Amino acid sequence: MHRFLCALLAAAVSVSYGSQSPRGNVSLVVTGGTVVTVDGTGRVLSSAAVAIDGRDIVAVDAAAAIAQRFTAARTIDATGQVVLPGLINTHTHAPMVLYRGLADDLALMEWLQKYIFPAEARTVSPAFVRAGTRLAALEMIQSGTTTYADMYYFEEEIARATREAGIRGVLGQTIIQFPVPDAKTPADGIARATEFIRQWKNDILIVPAIAPHSMYTLDVESLKSIRAVADRERAPLIIHLAETADEVKIARDKYQATPTEFLDSIGAFSGRTVAAHGVHLTPGDIKVLAQRRVGVSHNPESNMKLASGTAPVPALQAAGVAVGLGTDGAASNNDLDMFEAMRVAALLHKHTSNDPRALPAASAIKMATIDGARALGMEREIGSLEPGKRADLILVSMSAARQTPMYDPLSHLVYVTRGDDVRTVIVNGTVVMQDRRVLTLNEKAVLDEAAVWAAKVREAVK
Ligand SMILES: [Zn+2]
């Protein structure tokens, strides 16, 4: 009897393990949705699944194939939803959400000098930055952003709040010539940035960076020292570049060069650089940016709202420059919704070029995902749904009246979807929002704290 049972067991084992490969255990499977991979061939799979183990994606395939290959500790049903890589916002100033709608429809200099600079001088502090980052992170999670690049003050507070929220940040400590709340001189700012980079350089979610504000708000000596720190610490350098016609005029008058030519001449692009805006670029500038592999962040809503001009995105892309999308700070947008950024980018370039074929939906999605990752130098880790990459993905509902019917998920993601349609967000294999419930932040506490700061901001600009 005993021998017979053993033989039976052996037979059973040979059936489950002999005729097919063993099932692997994974921590999470997201199954049943339409998966927009944004991989090298742009695969879009219906009734598909993503298998995740720990922080990594291990397989992307038909739902049935994934079910056969893996046993999941946890399963999320994505039926009726589109699954895509988490969105990458390549340029913002997170705490500025607390200045959202403070002053609109003004010329840039009046807006800055009458409202933003006085408000910043009187309110920016570590506590302000923490509260603002929590609010920004809440908004980003709720609208599907899983990685963002930032430039602001007290960046170590931003790093802590971002880490608590469970999203990725490429966070640049800002350096500027005039005294600011966290540094009296550029040298103070550089020392702060160096310390910040050293403290955060091995974090799983945070990439610390150094952020010289721009070529027109720093002297040559400071810009060179900042580049040296970035090289020594192997940290990305984030800078505003050629945002306005005024900046081009300053560069001409002061250095007889374009902002790009000037920065290149002092070696500012010698290592990983992310340049925000790139609105006023010559064909020669575009060549330099391509040669130096500078990533560019396109911020269509901010550029339109401040009437800065239209960045030559198709020309940059044709030259091989990695162009990501950004929202810029909420004071000049006025939100952090990357779906809106995709839509506005797609519309703006058709309108400007008189060509409806300019910047198609698939291209806008790439800018918000894999091209954003390339611009930040993170394309090996994030930006597409492929085995071996970090599990940063979002599930987007497609059942609203405005999304019905759906013939083409790429079209819908760009032309009708809003941040509010995001249902579930996963970062580094961890669920940070499920069915609209943010799990890493106390939503009510974040909003209450923002209201307290709003009263102080109102007082500061009286
Ligand atoms: Zn900016």
Side-chain angles (χ1 to χ4, degrees), residues 91 93 240 277 328:
H91 183 63
H93 312 278
H240 291 110
H277 300 300
D328 208 348

Side-chain angles (χ1 to χ4, degrees), residues 7 13 94 97 99 150 154 176 193 212 253 274 298 322 356 381 384 392 412 427 433 440 449-450 461:
V13 166
V97 288
Y99 302 136
D150 193 73
F154 300 108
I176 201 159
D253 293 349
V274 185
H298 176 44
E381 292 97 55
S384 61
D392 289 10
H412 267 26
V427 184
M433 179 170 83
T440 49
E449 192 180 30
V461 295

Side-chain angles (χ1 to χ4, degrees), residues 91-93 96 151 213 239-240 243 276-277 299 302 327-329 332:
H91 183 63
T92 192
H93 312 278
M96 291 187 86
M151 298 173 83
H213 176 270
I239 188 166
H240 291 110
E243 179 177 1
H277 300 300
N299 298 258
S302 168
T327 57
D328 208 348
S332 58

Side-chain angles (χ1 to χ4, degrees), residues 267-306:
F269 300 143
S270 65
R272 164 62 50 200
T273 306
V274 185
H277 300 300
V279 172
H280 298 274
L281 299 172
T282 65
D285 292 339
I286 293 174
K287 245 183 232 162
V288 169
L289 296 175
Q291 266 166 11
R292 303 285 182 232
R293 295 169 173 249
V294 172
V296 171
S297 173
H298 176 44
N299 298 258
E301 294 169 84
S302 168
N303 296 159
M304 289 169 78
K305 191 156 182 277
L306 296 170

Side-chain angles (χ1 to χ4, degrees), residues 20 40 42 60 135-136 185 192 194 235 273 304 318 329 357 362 455:
Q20 62 195 72
V60 181
L135 178 62
T185 65
R192 253 184 159 281
T194 308
T273 306
M304 289 169 78
R357 295 166 300 183

